[in-house]
Amino acid sequence: QLQLVESGGGLVQAGGSLRLSCAASGRTFSTHAMGWFRQAPGKDREFVAHISWTGGRTYYADSVKGRFTIARDNAKNTLYLQMNSLKPEDTAVYYCAAGPKYADWTISEYNYWGQGTQVTVSS
């Protein structure tokens, strides 16, 4: 089992910043690819960002590229998402996810999920 718990969500004004954290426990964190996904009311869950198991490669959705940064600290078993220049369109529940080393941007490739943390961006 691999347990994931997100934190750091909240209410922020447009243009502001938040940093989300995902604490992992149980199975070995360092051997998993990690990703962030989000889901707004009435919409499907969508890919936000991915980081390889080594931390050497990252990928971002076009909608967040240049504004969000994904990072991992394997020594602390923690995943981060730094979100800058936030927009009202970023409002959603954000989920941390873990998958095999080959996992990238496809939701079905991830098999461990956190419960989510709410991010609300006001205009």
Side-chain angles (χ1 to χ4, degrees):
Q1 287 276 63
L2 180 62
Q3 292 80 43
L4 305 174
V5 180
E6 303 95 335
S7 63
L11 176 65
V12 65
Q13 295 185 51
S17 299
L18 284 173
R19 188 174 79 157
L20 305 184
S21 297
C22 173
S25 62
R27 299 182 66 185
T28 304
F29 171 79
S30 61
T31 62
H32 289 78
M34 301 294 296
W36 286 98
F37 297 80
R38 67 186 183 187
Q39 187 167 21
K43 296 184 178 180
D44 292 333
R45 190 171 300 184
E46 65 177 0
F47 167 76
V48 175
H50 156 90
I51 187 166
S52 64
W53 73 283
T54 63
R57 296 180 181 179
T58 58
Y59 300 92
Y60 299 91
D62 288 341
S63 59
V64 307
K65 193 173 299 181
R67 300 188 297 120
F68 291 10
T69 302
I70 188 171
R72 66 190 299 164
D73 187 338
N74 288 348
K76 296 182 178 180
N77 295 145
T78 303
L79 177 74
Y80 303 96
L81 183 68
Q82 178 66 47
M83 305 185 294
N84 298 326
S85 301
L86 283 162
K87 305 175 181 179
E89 301 92 287
D90 296 318
T91 296
V93 176
Y94 283 71
Y95 297 90
C96 166
K101 295 178 180 179
Y102 62 80
D104 199 345
W105 58 82
T106 304
I107 292 175
S108 62
E109 293 178 344
Y110 293 82
N111 51 352
Y112 297 99
W113 293 84
Q115 294 302 119
T117 185
Q118 177 71 48
V119 172
T120 302
V121 184
S122 62
S123 60

